[in-house]
PDB file of all heavy atoms in Angstrom:
ATOM      1  N   GLN A 247      19.882 -11.690   0.636  1.00  0.00           N
ATOM      2  CA  GLN A 247      19.744 -12.216   2.043  1.00  0.00           C
ATOM      3  C   GLN A 247      18.313 -12.238   2.378  1.00  0.00           C
ATOM      4  O   GLN A 247      17.499 -11.478   1.909  1.00  0.00           O
ATOM      5  CB  GLN A 247      20.415 -11.196   2.985  1.00  0.00           C
ATOM      6  CG  GLN A 247      21.976 -11.131   2.811  1.00  0.00           C
ATOM      7  CD  GLN A 247      22.699 -12.437   3.116  1.00  0.00           C
ATOM      8  OE1 GLN A 247      22.246 -13.154   4.064  1.00  0.00           O
ATOM      9  NE2 GLN A 247      23.594 -12.763   2.298  1.00  0.00           N
ATOM     10  N   PRO A 248      17.844 -13.305   3.163  1.00  0.00           N
ATOM     11  CA  PRO A 248      16.366 -13.483   3.479  1.00  0.00           C
ATOM     12  C   PRO A 248      15.784 -12.185   4.052  1.00  0.00           C
ATOM     13  O   PRO A 248      14.586 -11.933   3.795  1.00  0.00           O
ATOM     14  CB  PRO A 248      16.515 -14.642   4.531  1.00  0.00           C
ATOM     15  CG  PRO A 248      17.658 -15.377   4.079  1.00  0.00           C
ATOM     16  CD  PRO A 248      18.723 -14.380   3.665  1.00  0.00           C
ATOM     17  N   LYS A 249      16.521 -11.393   4.763  1.00  0.00           N
ATOM     18  CA  LYS A 249      15.931 -10.277   5.499  1.00  0.00           C
ATOM     19  C   LYS A 249      15.532  -9.244   4.439  1.00  0.00           C
ATOM     20  O   LYS A 249      14.811  -8.289   4.785  1.00  0.00           O
ATOM     21  CB  LYS A 249      16.864  -9.733   6.536  1.00  0.00           C
ATOM     22  CG  LYS A 249      18.143  -9.159   5.998  1.00  0.00           C
ATOM     23  CD  LYS A 249      19.131  -8.626   7.047  1.00  0.00           C
ATOM     24  CE  LYS A 249      20.338  -8.046   6.411  1.00  0.00           C
ATOM     25  NZ  LYS A 249      21.190  -7.524   7.529  1.00  0.00           N
ATOM     26  N   LEU A 250      16.040  -9.335   3.227  1.00  0.00           N
ATOM     27  CA  LEU A 250      15.758  -8.315   2.231  1.00  0.00           C
ATOM     28  C   LEU A 250      14.634  -8.725   1.293  1.00  0.00           C
ATOM     29  O   LEU A 250      14.166  -7.925   0.526  1.00  0.00           O
ATOM     30  CB  LEU A 250      17.027  -8.051   1.342  1.00  0.00           C
ATOM     31  CG  LEU A 250      18.226  -7.297   1.936  1.00  0.00           C
ATOM     32  CD1 LEU A 250      19.364  -7.076   1.033  1.00  0.00           C
ATOM     33  CD2 LEU A 250      17.712  -5.906   2.594  1.00  0.00           C
ATOM     34  N   LEU A 251      14.163 -10.009   1.498  1.00  0.00           N
ATOM     35  CA  LEU A 251      13.217 -10.481   0.427  1.00  0.00           C
ATOM     36  C   LEU A 251      11.842 -10.024   0.874  1.00  0.00           C
ATOM     37  O   LEU A 251      10.948  -9.653  -0.032  1.00  0.00           O
ATOM     38  CB  LEU A 251      13.158 -12.029   0.435  1.00  0.00           C
ATOM     39  CG  LEU A 251      14.417 -12.628  -0.211  1.00  0.00           C
ATOM     40  CD1 LEU A 251      14.370 -14.234  -0.049  1.00  0.00           C
ATOM     41  CD2 LEU A 251      14.466 -12.284  -1.571  1.00  0.00           C
ATOM     42  N   GLY A 252      11.458  -9.847   2.073  1.00  0.00           N
ATOM     43  CA  GLY A 252      10.047  -9.528   2.447  1.00  0.00           C
ATOM     44  C   GLY A 252       9.161 -10.749   2.368  1.00  0.00           C
ATOM     45  O   GLY A 252       9.404 -11.680   1.798  1.00  0.00           O
ATOM     46  N   ARG A 253       8.143 -10.648   3.168  1.00  0.00           N
ATOM     47  CA  ARG A 253       7.170 -11.698   3.285  1.00  0.00           C
ATOM     48  C   ARG A 253       6.459 -12.026   1.986  1.00  0.00           C
ATOM     49  O   ARG A 253       5.961 -11.253   1.308  1.00  0.00           O
ATOM     50  CB  ARG A 253       6.073 -11.415   4.368  1.00  0.00           C
ATOM     51  CG  ARG A 253       5.136 -12.612   4.568  1.00  0.00           C
ATOM     52  CD  ARG A 253       4.164 -12.229   5.692  1.00  0.00           C
ATOM     53  NE  ARG A 253       3.235 -11.073   5.399  1.00  0.00           N
ATOM     54  CZ  ARG A 253       2.148 -11.192   4.634  1.00  0.00           C
ATOM     55  NH1 ARG A 253       1.867 -12.424   4.309  1.00  0.00           N
ATOM     56  NH2 ARG A 253       1.500 -10.163   4.393  1.00  0.00           N
ATOM     57  N   GLY A 254       6.631 -13.277   1.575  1.00  0.00           N
ATOM     58  CA  GLY A 254       5.897 -13.756   0.395  1.00  0.00           C
ATOM     59  C   GLY A 254       6.721 -13.536  -0.940  1.00  0.00           C
ATOM     60  O   GLY A 254       6.286 -14.035  -1.926  1.00  0.00           O
ATOM     61  N   ALA A 255       7.833 -12.908  -0.804  1.00  0.00           N
ATOM     62  CA  ALA A 255       8.677 -12.631  -2.002  1.00  0.00           C
ATOM     63  C   ALA A 255       9.503 -13.943  -2.237  1.00  0.00           C
ATOM     64  O   ALA A 255       9.885 -14.684  -1.377  1.00  0.00           O
ATOM     65  CB  ALA A 255       9.520 -11.458  -1.897  1.00  0.00           C
ATOM     66  N   VAL A 256       9.943 -14.166  -3.503  1.00  0.00           N
ATOM     67  CA  VAL A 256      10.814 -15.213  -3.799  1.00  0.00           C
ATOM     68  C   VAL A 256      12.198 -14.690  -4.347  1.00  0.00           C
ATOM     69  O   VAL A 256      12.308 -13.720  -4.942  1.00  0.00           O
ATOM     70  CB  VAL A 256      10.179 -16.082  -5.005  1.00  0.00           C
ATOM     71  CG1 VAL A 256      11.106 -17.190  -5.474  1.00  0.00           C
ATOM     72  CG2 VAL A 256       8.861 -16.620  -4.612  1.00  0.00           C
ATOM     73  N   ASN A 257      13.137 -15.451  -3.895  1.00  0.00           N
ATOM     74  CA  ASN A 257      14.553 -14.991  -4.207  1.00  0.00           C
ATOM     75  C   ASN A 257      14.638 -14.959  -5.741  1.00  0.00           C
ATOM     76  O   ASN A 257      14.452 -15.971  -6.527  1.00  0.00           O
ATOM     77  CB  ASN A 257      15.561 -16.035  -3.736  1.00  0.00           C
ATOM     78  CG  ASN A 257      16.996 -15.386  -3.769  1.00  0.00           C
ATOM     79  OD1 ASN A 257      17.348 -14.793  -4.744  1.00  0.00           O
ATOM     80  ND2 ASN A 257      17.723 -15.639  -2.718  1.00  0.00           N
ATOM     81  N   PRO A 258      14.948 -13.792  -6.328  1.00  0.00           N
ATOM     82  CA  PRO A 258      14.966 -13.613  -7.763  1.00  0.00           C
ATOM     83  C   PRO A 258      15.986 -14.450  -8.538  1.00  0.00           C
ATOM     84  O   PRO A 258      15.874 -14.765  -9.675  1.00  0.00           O
ATOM     85  CB  PRO A 258      15.303 -12.100  -7.962  1.00  0.00           C
ATOM     86  CG  PRO A 258      15.929 -11.704  -6.755  1.00  0.00           C
ATOM     87  CD  PRO A 258      15.371 -12.462  -5.656  1.00  0.00           C
ATOM     88  N   ALA A 259      17.065 -14.835  -7.788  1.00  0.00           N
ATOM     89  CA  ALA A 259      18.020 -15.692  -8.450  1.00  0.00           C
ATOM     90  C   ALA A 259      17.547 -17.114  -8.787  1.00  0.00           C
ATOM     91  O   ALA A 259      18.058 -17.916  -9.442  1.00  0.00           O
ATOM     92  CB  ALA A 259      19.337 -15.809  -7.507  1.00  0.00           C
ATOM     93  N   ASN A 260      16.341 -17.398  -8.066  1.00  0.00           N
ATOM     94  CA  ASN A 260      15.706 -18.737  -8.298  1.00  0.00           C
ATOM     95  C   ASN A 260      14.564 -18.713  -9.289  1.00  0.00           C
ATOM     96  O   ASN A 260      13.895 -19.655  -9.535  1.00  0.00           O
ATOM     97  CB  ASN A 260      15.222 -19.264  -6.917  1.00  0.00           C
ATOM     98  CG  ASN A 260      16.321 -19.494  -5.959  1.00  0.00           C
ATOM     99  OD1 ASN A 260      17.461 -19.768  -6.393  1.00  0.00           O
ATOM    100  ND2 ASN A 260      15.926 -19.346  -4.697  1.00  0.00           N
ATOM    101  N   ARG A 261      14.391 -17.555  -9.865  1.00  0.00           N
ATOM    102  CA  ARG A 261      13.324 -17.410 -10.826  1.00  0.00           C
ATOM    103  C   ARG A 261      13.737 -17.422 -12.288  1.00  0.00           C
ATOM    104  O   ARG A 261      14.844 -16.925 -12.636  1.00  0.00           O
ATOM    105  CB  ARG A 261      12.496 -16.096 -10.641  1.00  0.00           C
ATOM    106  CG  ARG A 261      11.763 -16.111  -9.255  1.00  0.00           C
ATOM    107  CD  ARG A 261      10.901 -14.836  -9.130  1.00  0.00           C
ATOM    108  NE  ARG A 261       9.867 -14.831 -10.062  1.00  0.00           N
ATOM    109  CZ  ARG A 261       8.698 -15.220 -10.001  1.00  0.00           C
ATOM    110  NH1 ARG A 261       8.276 -15.738  -8.888  1.00  0.00           N
ATOM    111  NH2 ARG A 261       7.825 -15.107 -10.951  1.00  0.00           N
ATOM    112  N   GLN A 262      12.837 -17.895 -13.223  1.00  0.00           N
ATOM    113  CA  GLN A 262      13.105 -17.789 -14.626  1.00  0.00           C
ATOM    114  C   GLN A 262      12.565 -16.469 -15.242  1.00  0.00           C
ATOM    115  O   GLN A 262      13.027 -15.979 -16.244  1.00  0.00           O
ATOM    116  CB  GLN A 262      12.538 -18.926 -15.353  1.00  0.00           C
ATOM    117  CG  GLN A 262      13.128 -20.323 -14.868  1.00  0.00           C
ATOM    118  CD  GLN A 262      14.629 -20.361 -15.081  1.00  0.00           C
ATOM    119  OE1 GLN A 262      15.073 -20.011 -16.172  1.00  0.00           O
ATOM    120  NE2 GLN A 262      15.378 -20.829 -14.082  1.00  0.00           N
ATOM    121  N   ASN A 263      11.547 -16.017 -14.576  1.00  0.00           N
ATOM    122  CA  ASN A 263      10.885 -14.730 -15.213  1.00  0.00           C
ATOM    123  C   ASN A 263      11.768 -13.508 -14.762  1.00  0.00           C
ATOM    124  O   ASN A 263      11.699 -13.057 -13.711  1.00  0.00           O
ATOM    125  CB  ASN A 263       9.419 -14.668 -14.734  1.00  0.00           C
ATOM    126  CG  ASN A 263       8.748 -13.334 -15.269  1.00  0.00           C
ATOM    127  OD1 ASN A 263       9.321 -12.610 -16.123  1.00  0.00           O
ATOM    128  ND2 ASN A 263       7.576 -13.226 -14.820  1.00  0.00           N
ATOM    129  N   ARG A 264      12.441 -13.067 -15.720  1.00  0.00           N
ATOM    130  CA  ARG A 264      13.336 -11.856 -15.393  1.00  0.00           C
ATOM    131  C   ARG A 264      12.662 -10.538 -15.316  1.00  0.00           C
ATOM    132  O   ARG A 264      13.234  -9.640 -14.909  1.00  0.00           O
ATOM    133  CB  ARG A 264      14.390 -11.815 -16.533  1.00  0.00           C
ATOM    134  CG  ARG A 264      15.314 -13.017 -16.695  1.00  0.00           C
ATOM    135  CD  ARG A 264      16.190 -13.229 -15.437  1.00  0.00           C
ATOM    136  NE  ARG A 264      16.960 -12.068 -15.145  1.00  0.00           N
ATOM    137  CZ  ARG A 264      18.066 -11.798 -15.766  1.00  0.00           C
ATOM    138  NH1 ARG A 264      18.609 -12.599 -16.620  1.00  0.00           N
ATOM    139  NH2 ARG A 264      18.776 -10.729 -15.378  1.00  0.00           N
TER     140      ARG A 264
END
Side-chain angles (χ1 to χ4, degrees):
Q247 295 297 319
K249 65 181 180 180
L250 293 178
L251 289 175
R253 183 174 65 84
V256 177
N257 194 319
N260 299 330
R261 293 185 62 93
Q262 298 299 316
N263 181 3
R264 298 296 304 279

